[in-house]
Amino acid sequence: MKGQKHRGHVARKRFGQNFLVAPGIIRKIVDAVAPQAGDTLVEIGPGLGAITGPLLECMDHLHVVEIDRDLIQRLANRFPPERMTIHEGDALEFDFARLKADGPLKIVGNLPYNISSALLFHLLAFAPLVHDMHFMLQKEVVDRMVAEPGSKDFGRLSVMLQYHYHMERLFIVPPDAFSPAPKVDSAIVRMIPIDSAEVMRSGIQQDEADGAAVQDLALFANVVKAAFSQRRKMLRNTLREFIGEADLAALGITPTVRAEDIAVADYVRLANTLADRKPG
Ligand code: SAM
Protein backbone atom coordinates (compact mmCIF):
# COMPACT_ATOMS: atom_id res chain seq x y z
CA MET A 1 0.00 0.00 0.00
CA LYS A 2 1.25 3.48 -0.83
CA GLY A 3 2.12 5.72 2.09
CA GLN A 4 0.47 9.03 2.92
CA LYS A 5 1.75 12.13 1.11
CA HIS A 6 2.74 15.29 2.92
CA ARG A 7 3.80 18.37 0.91
CA GLY A 8 4.56 16.14 -2.05
CA HIS A 9 6.66 13.65 -0.04
CA VAL A 10 5.45 10.10 0.65
CA ALA A 11 6.11 9.46 4.35
CA ARG A 12 8.48 6.52 4.77
CA LYS A 13 7.48 4.17 7.56
CA ARG A 14 10.91 2.61 7.80
CA PHE A 15 12.34 6.02 8.72
CA GLY A 16 9.60 6.67 11.29
CA GLN A 17 8.31 9.67 9.34
CA ASN A 18 5.47 11.50 11.08
CA PHE A 19 5.70 15.16 10.16
CA LEU A 20 4.65 17.90 12.57
CA VAL A 21 1.84 20.02 11.16
CA ALA A 22 0.52 21.90 14.23
CA PRO A 23 1.93 25.46 14.37
CA GLY A 24 1.07 25.83 18.08
CA ILE A 25 3.06 22.71 19.01
CA ILE A 26 5.99 23.74 16.80
CA ARG A 27 6.05 27.13 18.56
CA LYS A 28 6.01 25.46 22.00
CA ILE A 29 8.95 23.23 21.03
CA VAL A 30 11.00 26.16 19.73
CA ASP A 31 10.21 28.15 22.89
CA ALA A 32 11.34 25.19 25.04
CA VAL A 33 14.62 24.91 23.10
CA ALA A 34 15.06 28.71 23.35
CA PRO A 35 17.81 28.91 20.70
CA GLN A 36 20.27 31.82 20.83
CA ALA A 37 22.11 33.25 17.83
CA GLY A 38 25.54 31.69 18.53
CA ASP A 39 24.38 28.28 19.85
CA THR A 40 25.74 25.05 18.41
CA LEU A 41 22.47 23.34 17.71
CA VAL A 42 21.95 19.98 16.00
CA GLU A 43 18.59 18.77 14.82
CA ILE A 44 18.21 15.02 14.36
CA GLY A 45 15.78 14.12 11.56
CA PRO A 46 14.74 17.58 10.25
CA GLY A 47 12.42 15.96 7.70
CA LEU A 48 10.52 18.65 5.81
CA GLY A 49 11.83 21.34 8.16
CA ALA A 50 8.78 21.85 10.41
CA ILE A 51 10.97 22.75 13.42
CA THR A 52 14.08 23.61 11.40
CA GLY A 53 12.66 26.75 9.79
CA PRO A 54 11.43 28.34 13.04
CA LEU A 55 14.67 27.38 14.82
CA LEU A 56 16.73 29.06 12.09
CA GLU A 57 14.75 32.27 12.51
CA CYS A 58 16.44 32.61 15.92
CA MET A 59 19.95 31.58 14.95
CA ASP A 60 22.80 32.10 12.51
CA HIS A 61 23.49 28.46 11.72
CA LEU A 62 22.19 24.96 12.37
CA HIS A 63 23.51 21.40 11.95
CA VAL A 64 21.12 18.66 10.89
CA VAL A 65 21.52 14.87 10.65
CA GLU A 66 19.11 13.25 8.17
CA ILE A 67 19.06 9.79 6.59
CA ASP A 68 16.49 10.23 3.81
CA ARG A 69 18.14 11.42 0.57
CA ASP A 70 14.94 12.89 -0.88
CA LEU A 71 14.46 15.03 2.20
CA ILE A 72 18.12 16.06 2.16
CA GLN A 73 17.69 17.32 -1.39
CA ARG A 74 14.67 19.36 -0.39
CA LEU A 75 16.45 20.80 2.66
CA ALA A 76 19.48 21.72 0.54
CA ASN A 77 17.22 23.54 -1.92
CA ARG A 78 15.50 25.46 0.84
CA PHE A 79 18.36 26.42 3.18
CA PRO A 80 21.75 27.76 2.00
CA PRO A 81 24.90 25.98 3.29
CA GLU A 82 26.07 28.99 5.30
CA ARG A 83 22.85 28.69 7.35
CA MET A 84 22.66 24.90 7.53
CA THR A 85 25.21 22.09 7.52
CA ILE A 86 23.57 18.85 6.43
CA HIS A 87 25.15 15.66 7.77
CA GLU A 88 23.79 12.93 5.56
CA GLY A 89 23.48 9.54 7.26
CA ASP A 90 22.33 7.55 10.25
CA ALA A 91 22.14 9.47 13.54
CA LEU A 92 22.86 6.16 15.31
CA GLU A 93 26.34 6.27 13.80
CA PHE A 94 26.89 10.01 13.87
CA ASP A 95 29.92 11.18 15.86
CA PHE A 96 28.51 14.20 17.71
CA ALA A 97 32.01 14.93 19.05
CA ARG A 98 32.81 16.27 15.55
CA LEU A 99 30.88 19.39 16.45
CA LYS A 100 32.29 19.96 19.93
CA ALA A 101 34.86 22.55 18.81
CA ASP A 102 31.97 24.94 18.23
CA GLY A 103 30.88 24.83 21.91
CA PRO A 104 28.50 22.83 24.12
CA LEU A 105 25.87 21.10 22.01
CA LYS A 106 22.16 21.67 22.03
CA ILE A 107 20.41 18.72 20.42
CA VAL A 108 16.79 18.64 19.31
CA GLY A 109 14.65 16.18 17.39
CA ASN A 110 11.21 14.87 16.68
CA LEU A 111 12.72 11.42 16.76
CA PRO A 112 11.84 8.43 14.63
CA TYR A 113 10.17 6.18 17.18
CA ASN A 114 11.70 2.98 15.86
CA ILE A 115 15.23 4.07 16.84
CA SER A 116 14.52 6.23 19.89
CA SER A 117 15.92 3.97 22.65
CA ALA A 118 18.98 3.06 20.58
CA LEU A 119 19.61 6.74 19.88
CA LEU A 120 19.31 7.68 23.55
CA PHE A 121 21.93 5.03 24.37
CA HIS A 122 24.16 6.24 21.50
CA LEU A 123 23.94 9.81 22.82
CA LEU A 124 25.06 8.75 26.32
CA ALA A 125 28.65 8.68 25.08
CA PHE A 126 28.43 12.39 24.21
CA ALA A 127 26.70 13.57 27.40
CA PRO A 128 29.79 15.49 28.61
CA LEU A 129 29.66 17.62 25.44
CA VAL A 130 25.98 18.43 25.72
CA HIS A 131 24.35 21.57 27.09
CA ASP A 132 20.79 20.30 26.73
CA MET A 133 18.57 18.08 24.57
CA HIS A 134 14.87 18.32 23.70
CA PHE A 135 13.19 15.35 22.10
CA MET A 136 9.75 14.35 20.95
CA LEU A 137 9.23 10.69 21.75
CA GLN A 138 6.37 8.31 22.32
CA LYS A 139 4.76 9.39 25.58
CA GLU A 140 5.19 5.86 26.92
CA VAL A 141 8.97 6.08 26.37
CA VAL A 142 9.18 9.48 28.09
CA ASP A 143 7.22 8.05 31.03
CA ARG A 144 9.81 5.28 31.32
CA MET A 145 12.69 7.77 31.14
CA VAL A 146 11.43 9.91 34.01
CA ALA A 147 9.89 7.10 36.12
CA GLU A 148 10.61 6.88 39.85
CA PRO A 149 11.76 3.67 41.60
CA GLY A 150 8.82 1.53 42.70
CA SER A 151 6.76 2.28 39.58
CA LYS A 152 6.11 -0.22 36.80
CA ASP A 153 7.74 2.17 34.31
CA PHE A 154 11.05 2.28 36.18
CA GLY A 155 13.53 0.23 34.15
CA ARG A 156 16.91 0.05 32.48
CA LEU A 157 16.24 3.19 30.44
CA SER A 158 15.29 5.13 33.61
CA VAL A 159 18.43 4.12 35.53
CA MET A 160 20.90 4.64 32.69
CA LEU A 161 19.49 8.01 31.68
CA GLN A 162 18.79 9.34 35.19
CA TYR A 163 22.40 8.70 36.13
CA HIS A 164 23.51 11.06 33.34
CA TYR A 165 20.70 13.61 33.01
CA HIS A 166 18.13 15.70 34.78
CA MET A 167 14.97 14.94 32.83
CA GLU A 168 11.62 16.62 32.68
CA ARG A 169 8.50 15.79 30.69
CA LEU A 170 7.41 19.17 29.33
CA PHE A 171 4.13 18.53 27.52
CA ILE A 172 2.08 15.91 25.69
CA VAL A 173 1.49 16.07 21.94
CA PRO A 174 -1.64 14.38 20.50
CA PRO A 175 -1.60 12.27 17.31
CA ASP A 176 -3.43 14.92 15.25
CA ALA A 177 -0.38 17.22 15.47
CA PHE A 178 1.31 14.96 12.87
CA SER A 179 0.85 13.84 9.30
CA PRO A 180 0.48 10.92 9.06
CA ALA A 181 -0.97 10.69 12.59
CA PRO A 182 0.71 8.06 14.80
CA LYS A 183 -1.48 5.71 16.86
CA VAL A 184 -0.20 6.94 20.23
CA ASP A 185 0.40 10.14 22.18
CA SER A 186 3.85 11.73 22.11
CA ALA A 187 5.63 13.91 24.65
CA ILE A 188 8.45 16.42 24.75
CA VAL A 189 11.26 15.68 27.16
CA ARG A 190 14.07 18.01 28.27
CA MET A 191 17.38 16.35 29.20
CA ILE A 192 20.21 18.26 30.87
CA PRO A 193 23.44 16.42 31.68
CA ILE A 194 24.14 16.30 35.41
CA ASP A 195 27.00 18.62 36.25
CA SER A 196 28.13 18.85 32.66
CA ALA A 197 30.67 21.58 33.45
CA GLU A 198 32.25 19.42 36.14
CA VAL A 199 32.23 16.36 33.91
CA MET A 200 33.93 18.33 31.12
CA ARG A 201 36.66 19.66 33.42
CA SER A 202 37.51 16.43 35.17
CA GLY A 203 36.29 13.62 32.94
CA ILE A 204 34.53 12.25 36.04
CA GLN A 205 30.84 11.33 36.06
CA GLN A 206 29.07 12.76 39.09
CA ASP A 207 26.03 11.19 40.67
CA GLU A 208 23.91 13.88 42.22
CA ALA A 209 22.03 11.61 44.54
CA ASP A 210 24.92 10.89 46.87
CA GLY A 211 27.89 12.53 45.16
CA ALA A 212 29.28 9.15 44.09
CA ALA A 213 30.68 8.70 40.62
CA VAL A 214 30.40 5.45 38.69
CA GLN A 215 33.92 4.03 38.51
CA ASP A 216 33.33 1.65 35.63
CA LEU A 217 30.48 2.65 33.32
CA ALA A 218 30.52 -0.64 31.38
CA LEU A 219 30.19 -2.64 34.61
CA PHE A 220 27.41 -0.31 35.80
CA ALA A 221 25.56 -0.86 32.50
CA ASN A 222 25.98 -4.65 32.79
CA VAL A 223 24.66 -4.77 36.35
CA VAL A 224 21.62 -2.66 35.45
CA LYS A 225 20.96 -4.80 32.38
CA ALA A 226 21.17 -8.04 34.39
CA ALA A 227 18.93 -6.68 37.16
CA PHE A 228 16.17 -5.76 34.71
CA SER A 229 16.64 -8.79 32.43
CA GLN A 230 13.79 -10.52 34.29
CA ARG A 231 12.05 -7.80 36.17
CA ARG A 232 9.68 -10.12 38.06
CA LYS A 233 12.62 -11.91 39.68
CA MET A 234 14.37 -10.97 42.90
CA LEU A 235 17.76 -9.26 42.79
CA ARG A 236 19.42 -12.16 44.61
CA ASN A 237 18.61 -14.25 41.52
CA THR A 238 19.16 -11.80 38.65
CA LEU A 239 22.45 -10.57 40.16
CA ARG A 240 23.68 -14.00 41.27
CA GLU A 241 26.62 -13.89 38.88
CA PHE A 242 27.76 -10.54 40.25
CA ILE A 243 27.17 -10.63 44.01
CA GLY A 244 26.02 -12.94 46.81
CA GLU A 245 22.99 -12.45 49.00
CA ALA A 246 24.96 -11.51 52.13
CA ASP A 247 26.99 -8.89 50.28
CA LEU A 248 23.83 -7.38 48.83
CA ALA A 249 22.39 -7.09 52.32
CA ALA A 250 25.66 -5.56 53.57
CA LEU A 251 25.18 -2.81 50.97
CA GLY A 252 21.76 -2.08 52.46
CA ILE A 253 19.93 -3.70 49.54
CA THR A 254 17.31 -6.28 50.52
CA PRO A 255 18.12 -9.38 48.41
CA THR A 256 14.45 -10.26 47.91
CA VAL A 257 13.43 -6.97 46.27
CA ARG A 258 13.12 -6.55 42.51
CA ALA A 259 15.12 -4.36 40.14
CA GLU A 260 12.44 -1.67 40.05
CA ASP A 261 12.51 -1.28 43.85
CA ILE A 262 15.98 0.21 44.30
CA ALA A 263 17.21 3.70 43.44
CA VAL A 264 19.79 4.88 40.89
CA ALA A 265 22.20 5.59 43.76
CA ASP A 266 21.87 1.93 44.89
CA TYR A 267 22.93 0.76 41.41
CA VAL A 268 25.90 3.13 41.60
CA ARG A 269 26.98 1.72 45.00
CA LEU A 270 26.50 -1.82 43.77
CA ALA A 271 28.57 -1.29 40.62
CA ASN A 272 31.32 0.52 42.53
CA THR A 273 31.58 -2.27 45.10
CA LEU A 274 32.03 -4.74 42.25
CA ALA A 275 34.56 -2.45 40.54
CA ASP A 276 36.61 -2.29 43.78
CA ARG A 277 36.73 -6.08 43.85
CA LYS A 278 37.98 -6.44 40.31
CA PRO A 279 41.57 -7.63 40.19
CA GLY A 280 44.13 -5.04 39.08
N1 SAM B 1 11.48 16.95 12.21
C1 SAM B 1 10.45 16.61 11.27
C2 SAM B 1 9.10 17.04 11.82
O1 SAM B 1 9.03 17.27 13.04
O2 SAM B 1 8.15 17.13 11.05
C3 SAM B 1 10.45 15.11 10.93
C4 SAM B 1 10.28 14.17 12.08
S1 SAM B 1 10.08 12.47 11.63
C5 SAM B 1 9.27 11.84 13.10
C6 SAM B 1 11.68 11.72 11.82
C7 SAM B 1 12.78 12.20 10.89
O3 SAM B 1 13.98 11.49 11.17
C8 SAM B 1 12.52 11.97 9.41
O4 SAM B 1 12.91 13.09 8.68
C9 SAM B 1 13.38 10.75 9.08
O5 SAM B 1 13.76 10.68 7.72
C10 SAM B 1 14.56 10.97 9.98
N2 SAM B 1 15.31 9.73 10.34
C11 SAM B 1 14.80 8.49 10.49
N3 SAM B 1 15.77 7.62 10.86
C12 SAM B 1 16.91 8.35 10.95
C13 SAM B 1 18.25 8.02 11.29
N4 SAM B 1 18.59 6.77 11.64
N5 SAM B 1 19.18 9.01 11.26
C14 SAM B 1 18.83 10.29 10.93
N6 SAM B 1 17.57 10.66 10.61
C15 SAM B 1 16.62 9.71 10.62
Coordinates of all heavy atoms in Angstrom, one line a residue, residues 15-20 43-48 50-51 65-68 71 89-92 110-112 115, ligand 1:
F15 N 11.6 4.9 8.1 CA 12.3 6.0 8.7 C 11.5 6.7 9.8 O 11.9 7.8 10.2 CB 12.8 7.0 7.7 CG 13.9 6.5 6.7 CD1 13.9 7.0 5.4 CD2 14.8 5.6 7.1 CE1 14.9 6.5 4.5 CE2 15.8 5.1 6.3 CZ 15.8 5.6 5.0
G16 N 10.4 6.1 10.2 CA 9.6 6.7 11.3 C 9.1 8.1 11.0 O 9.1 8.9 11.9
Q17 N 8.7 8.3 9.7 CA 8.3 9.7 9.3 C 6.9 10.0 9.7 O 5.9 9.6 9.1 CB 8.6 9.9 7.8 CG 10.1 9.9 7.5 CD 10.4 10.0 6.1 OE1 9.6 9.9 5.2 NE2 11.7 10.1 5.8
N18 N 6.7 10.9 10.7 CA 5.5 11.5 11.1 C 5.8 13.0 11.2 O 6.5 13.4 12.1 CB 4.9 11.0 12.4 CG 4.7 9.5 12.4 OD1 5.5 8.7 12.7 ND2 3.5 9.1 11.9
F19 N 5.3 13.8 10.2 CA 5.7 15.2 10.2 C 4.8 16.1 11.0 O 3.6 15.9 11.0 CB 5.7 15.6 8.7 CG 6.7 14.8 7.9 CD1 6.2 13.8 7.0 CD2 8.0 15.0 8.0 CE1 7.1 13.1 6.2 CE2 8.9 14.3 7.2 CZ 8.4 13.3 6.3
L20 N 5.4 17.0 11.7 CA 4.7 17.9 12.6 C 3.9 18.9 11.7 O 4.5 19.5 10.8 CB 5.6 18.7 13.5 CG 5.8 18.1 14.9 CD1 6.9 18.9 15.6 CD2 4.4 18.2 15.7
E43 N 19.9 19.4 14.9 CA 18.6 18.8 14.8 C 18.7 17.4 14.2 O 19.3 17.2 13.1 CB 17.6 19.6 14.0 CG 16.2 18.9 14.1 CD 15.1 19.6 13.2 OE1 15.4 20.6 12.6 OE2 14.0 19.0 13.2
I44 N 18.2 16.4 14.9 CA 18.2 15.0 14.4 C 16.9 14.8 13.6 O 15.8 15.0 14.2 CB 18.4 14.0 15.5 CG1 19.7 14.2 16.3 CG2 18.3 12.6 15.0 CD1 19.8 13.4 17.5
G45 N 17.0 14.4 12.4 CA 15.8 14.1 11.6 C 15.0 15.4 11.3 O 13.8 15.5 11.7
P46 N 15.5 16.4 10.5 CA 14.7 17.6 10.3 C 13.5 17.4 9.3 O 12.6 18.2 9.3 CB 15.8 18.5 9.6 CG 16.8 17.5 9.0 CD 16.8 16.4 9.9
G47 N 13.6 16.3 8.6 CA 12.4 16.0 7.7 C 12.1 17.1 6.7 O 13.0 17.5 5.9
L48 N 10.9 17.6 6.7 CA 10.5 18.6 5.8 C 10.7 20.0 6.4 O 10.3 21.0 5.9 CB 9.1 18.5 5.4 CG 8.8 17.3 4.5 CD1 7.4 16.8 4.5 CD2 9.2 17.6 3.1
A50 N 9.8 21.2 9.6 CA 8.8 21.8 10.4 C 9.3 22.6 11.6 O 8.9 23.7 11.9 CB 7.8 20.8 10.9
I51 N 10.4 22.1 12.3 CA 11.0 22.7 13.4 C 12.2 23.5 12.9 O 12.5 24.6 13.5 CB 11.4 21.7 14.5 CG1 10.4 20.6 14.7 CG2 11.7 22.5 15.8 CD1 10.9 19.5 15.7
V65 N 21.1 16.2 11.0 CA 21.5 14.9 10.6 C 20.3 14.2 10.1 O 19.3 14.1 10.8 CB 22.0 14.1 11.9 CG1 22.5 12.7 11.4 CG2 23.1 14.8 12.6
E66 N 20.3 13.8 8.8 CA 19.1 13.3 8.2 C 19.5 12.1 7.3 O 20.6 12.1 6.6 CB 18.4 14.3 7.3 CG 17.2 13.9 6.5 CD 16.1 13.2 7.3 OE1 15.5 13.9 8.1 OE2 15.8 12.0 7.1
I67 N 18.7 11.0 7.3 CA 19.1 9.8 6.6 C 18.4 9.7 5.2 O 18.9 9.0 4.3 CB 18.7 8.6 7.5 CG1 19.4 7.3 7.0 CG2 17.2 8.3 7.4 CD1 19.3 6.2 8.0
D68 N 17.3 10.4 5.0 CA 16.5 10.2 3.8 C 17.0 11.2 2.7 O 16.9 12.4 2.8 CB 15.0 10.5 4.2 CG 14.1 10.3 3.0 OD1 14.5 10.6 1.8 OD2 12.9 9.9 3.2
L71 N 14.7 13.9 1.3 CA 14.5 15.0 2.2 C 15.7 15.9 2.2 O 15.6 17.1 2.3 CB 14.1 14.5 3.6 CG 12.8 13.8 3.7 CD1 12.6 13.2 5.1 CD2 11.6 14.7 3.4
G89 N 23.2 10.9 6.7 CA 23.5 9.5 7.3 C 22.6 9.2 8.5 O 21.7 9.9 8.8
D90 N 23.1 8.1 9.1 CA 22.3 7.6 10.2 C 22.8 8.2 11.6 O 23.9 8.1 11.9 CB 22.6 6.0 10.3 CG 21.8 5.3 11.2 OD1 21.2 5.9 12.1 OD2 21.7 4.1 11.1
A91 N 21.8 8.8 12.3 CA 22.1 9.5 13.5 C 22.7 8.5 14.6 O 23.4 8.9 15.5 CB 20.9 10.1 14.1
L92 N 22.4 7.2 14.4 CA 22.9 6.2 15.3 C 24.4 6.0 15.2 O 25.0 5.4 16.0 CB 22.2 4.8 15.1 CG 20.7 4.7 15.5 CD1 20.2 3.4 15.0 CD2 20.6 4.9 17.0
N110 N 12.5 15.6 16.7 CA 11.2 14.9 16.7 C 11.6 13.5 16.2 O 11.8 13.3 15.0 CB 10.2 15.6 15.8 CG 9.0 14.7 15.5 OD1 8.7 13.7 16.2 ND2 8.2 15.1 14.6
L111 N 11.9 12.6 17.1 CA 12.7 11.4 16.8 C 11.9 10.3 16.1 O 10.7 10.1 16.5 CB 13.4 10.8 18.0 CG 14.4 11.7 18.7 CD1 15.1 11.0 19.8 CD2 15.5 12.2 17.7
P112 N 12.5 9.6 15.2 CA 11.8 8.4 14.6 C 11.7 7.4 15.8 O 12.7 7.1 16.4 CB 12.8 7.9 13.6 CG 14.1 8.7 13.8 CD 13.8 9.9 14.6
I115 N 13.8 4.1 16.4 CA 15.2 4.1 16.8 C 15.4 4.9 18.1 O 16.6 5.1 18.5 CB 16.2 4.6 15.8 CG1 15.9 6.1 15.5 CG2 16.2 3.8 14.5 CD1 17.1 6.8 14.8
Ligands
SAM1 N1 11.5 16.9 12.2 C1 10.4 16.6 11.3 C2 9.1 17.0 11.8 O1 9.0 17.3 13.0 O2 8.1 17.1 11.1 C3 10.4 15.1 10.9 C4 10.3 14.2 12.1 S1 10.1 12.5 11.6 C5 9.3 11.8 13.1 C6 11.7 11.7 11.8 C7 12.8 12.2 10.9 O3 14.0 11.5 11.2 C8 12.5 12.0 9.4 O4 12.9 13.1 8.7 C9 13.4 10.7 9.1 O5 13.8 10.7 7.7 C10 14.6 11.0 10.0 N2 15.3 9.7 10.3 C11 14.8 8.5 10.5 N3 15.8 7.6 10.9 C12 16.9 8.3 11.0 C13 18.2 8.0 11.3 N4 18.6 6.8 11.6 N5 19.2 9.0 11.3 C14 18.8 10.3 10.9 N6 17.6 10.7 10.6 C15 16.6 9.7 10.6

